Amino acid sequence: MKELGSHVETHSPQVSMMMERILLGVLSLSGWIIPSICLHRQYHYVADSKTWTEAASYCRRTYTDLASIENTEGMNQLINTVSSSSHSSEVWIGLYSAIVWRWSDGYRGTGSEYRNWDPRYSEPNFYSGREFCVFTKNNGRWYDQICNTKYPFICYRGTQLDPEFVFVNERMNWSSAQRYCRENYTDLATVRNDTETQEIQSLVPSKDRAWIGLFRDPNLNWSDGSNYKFSYWDNAVNPLGSLTHVCAVAMQSSGKWKAFDCERRLPFVCYSIPANRQVVRLRMKPEDSSLDLNDPAVKADILKKLQDRLETKVAGATLKWREQPDGKVFFKEGKSYQKKERKKREL
C-alpha cells in the first residue's frame, strides 16, 4: 500500500490544539506532528472618549472586542500598550457586572427595595471587587462584605409579612448562615423598613456584626463572552450607589481594575487576534491503491471533510492545500524518506 504525503495550511484567528484531534478523527494519519500554537492577543489603545457601550461597539466594528484579560502576561501586555500611548487616565476594558440585589427568601413585595447603607463608607463599596453579601452593625447600617467572612447572623421565623427576628450567636460564612436559618427557622432576615431595622439593631451586640439576607450574584462577565477567571482588582472601594450596572477600567499607572458608572466617557483598549498560518503535513495510506489523491474531485472531497470537522471545533478556521511546483498536492514517499522517518522514531 503506497504512502502519500501532502501539506495543508490553516488560516484562523482561533486555531487551537483541538485541530490535531480533529484531523486524526477524519483521516488515517501517521508520522506527523502539529507544533503547539500560542496566539497572543494584540491590544489597541483608542484615545477617543466614549461610554463603555459605545467603546464596545467601536471595538467590535474595528477589531475583535473590548480588551479581555486571561492572565498576568496579558495584563502586562495591556499595561505596556497603555503606557506607550502617553495617556494619563483610566481606560475601559471589557469587564462589566449587573448589580442585582436579592433577598435570600426571594421576597419581592412592598419594601423589597428598602436599603440602609452607611454613606460614611460609600456603601455598598464593592471593596477589591469581591464583596457580594450584606451584614449589619449595632448602628443599624448595612455594609457589603466578602461572603466567606464569618459573622453571627439574623434569622427570622414566621412569615415574610409577619417575621420574628432571631439573633444567632454562631460565626458562619453567609452561605452557611443561610443554610442554618432555613434548617432551623424560616430564612435569613429580610428587612423592609425602618421599624424592622430598629428591631434587628436591638438584637446585634455592641461592636459586633451580623449577616442579613441581602446578597447579589457576582455577574462578572467579559464583553466577548470569555469566562471570568483572572482578576486584577485594586484594593480600593468601588462605590456602587444605586447603579444597576458597573463597568471596569484599568488604572493608568498600575493597570489595576476599578468599577465605574458605564456612562462615563473614557478612552479604551480593544483587542484583536492576528490570523495565524499553520502548515500541517499529512501522511495517508489509501485503502484503494488505485485511488488518485491528486484528482481534483478527490482533493476537494478530502478538504471538505476536513473543513466541516474543523469548523465544529475551531470557529473561523479555513483550510487549503499547499501545491507543489508541479501543481500536485500529494506525492509518493520514497524509500530514503521512509528510512529517515524510521531513524527518527528510533532516536
Side-chain angles (χ1 to χ4, degrees):
M1 193 171 291
K2 63 182 178 180
E3 295 184 355
L4 296 176
S6 72
H7 290 79
V8 60
E9 292 184 359
T10 68
H11 303 265
S12 169
Q14 300 180 32
V15 176
S16 74
M17 289 304 295
M18 288 295 296
M19 181 174 159
E20 180 173 1
R21 291 194 292 273
I22 297 163
L23 297 181
L24 282 170
V26 177
L27 301 173
S28 174
L29 308 175
S30 64
W32 57 271
I33 298 174
I34 298 179
S36 83
I37 304 168
C38 184
L39 295 181
H40 294 286
R41 297 183 177 188
Q42 291 183 353
Y43 293 106
H44 310 272
Y45 168 73
V46 181
D48 295 342
S49 293
K50 297 181 182 294
T51 67
W52 187 91
T53 301
E54 291 171 346
S57 297
Y58 176 93
C59 290
R60 289 166 186 162
R61 290 194 310 270
T62 311
Y63 298 102
T64 299
D65 211 315
L66 268 173
S68 58
I69 302 101
E70 298 179 330
N71 49 43
T72 302
E73 180 183 0
M75 194 64 240
N76 290 335
Q77 185 182 347
L78 184 142
I79 292 171
N80 291 336
T81 300
V82 174
S83 298
S84 64
S85 70
S86 301
H87 135 88
S88 60
S89 84
E90 303 86 0
V91 293
W92 289 126
I93 58 175
L95 191 64
Y96 69 98
S97 178
I99 310 299
V100 183
W101 293 106
R102 296 190 288 146
W103 291 105
S104 175
D105 64 0
Y107 181 73
R108 293 186 178 182
T110 302
S112 62
E113 300 298 322
Y114 173 81
R115 305 288 184 262
N116 197 38
W117 303 111
D118 192 334
R120 296 174 301 168
Y121 301 102
S122 301
E123 296 289 343
N125 61 31
F126 194 31
Y127 185 81
S128 69
R130 297 189 297 156
E131 298 183 331
F132 300 100
C133 297
V134 178
F135 70 86
T136 184
K137 287 184 178 180
N138 179 256
N139 61 6
R141 293 293 188 177
W142 301 358
Y143 310 80
D144 59 350
Q145 177 60 287
I146 299 171
C147 299
N148 283 334
T149 309
K150 293 185 177 181
Y151 292 141
F153 46 97
I154 306 291
C155 303
Y156 79 89
R157 55 189 163 205
T159 66
Q160 289 180 329
L161 299 180
D162 186 24
E164 178 186 350
F165 298 113
V166 180
F167 176 77
V168 179
N169 194 20
E170 295 188 37
R171 295 188 175 273
M172 299 183 184
N173 62 39
W174 191 92
S175 295
S176 296
Q178 179 191 55
R179 182 167 56 252
Y180 183 96
C181 289
R182 289 176 174 178
E183 291 174 351
N184 296 279
Y185 298 97
T186 301
D187 211 318
L188 275 169
T190 294
V191 189
R192 301 169 298 169
N193 50 52
D194 288 340
T195 299
E196 292 181 347
T197 291
Q198 291 171 6
E199 290 180 33
I200 287 176
Q201 183 178 350
S202 67
L203 297 175
V204 180
S206 178
K207 298 183 180 180
D208 210 340
R209 305 175 176 189
W211 291 123
I212 58 174
L214 193 64
F215 75 104
R216 66 184 183 94
D217 295 319
N219 290 326
L220 288 162
N221 301 282
W222 290 105
S223 174
D224 64 357
S226 300
N227 291 331
Y228 174 76
K229 296 179 180 178
F230 174 77
S231 66
Y232 203 63
W233 290 98
D234 192 14
N235 289 324
V237 299
N238 297 279
L240 302 181
S242 59
L243 294 173
T244 58
H245 290 81
V246 291
C247 298
V249 299
M251 307 301 288
Q252 186 271 334
S253 56
S254 64
K256 292 286 187 178
W257 304 345
K258 292 195 70 175
F260 281 9
D261 183 344
C262 302
E263 295 303 309
R264 289 182 64 168
R265 306 189 74 84
L266 294 168
F268 51 97
V269 178
C270 306
Y271 83 88
S272 64
I273 299 179
N276 278 257
R277 175 176 295 181
Q278 177 68 27
V279 178
V280 178
R281 186 176 185 282
L282 309 180
R283 296 180 68 225
M284 302 178 62
K285 295 181 179 180
E287 293 182 1
D288 183 356
S289 60
S290 66
L291 181 67
D292 181 8
L293 295 181
N294 283 305
D295 182 286
V298 174
K299 289 192 298 184
D301 186 58
I302 295 173
L303 193 64
K304 184 178 185 303
K305 287 183 171 64
L306 287 168
Q307 183 71 53
D308 290 345
R309 290 292 299 274
L310 189 59
E311 285 180 352
T312 65
K313 300 294 183 181
V314 185
T318 59
L319 300 175
K320 72 174 184 179
W321 294 119
R322 171 180 280 190
E323 294 184 350
Q324 303 302 313
D326 60 3
K328 293 184 177 181
V329 169
F330 294 94
F331 60 92
K332 187 174 182 179
E333 295 175 346
K335 292 182 179 180
S336 60
Y337 178 87
Q338 294 174 11
K339 187 180 294 184
K340 288 180 182 178
E341 289 297 300
R342 283 195 296 268
K343 286 183 177 180
K344 287 181 183 178
R345 289 194 291 268
E346 291 170 359
L347 294 177

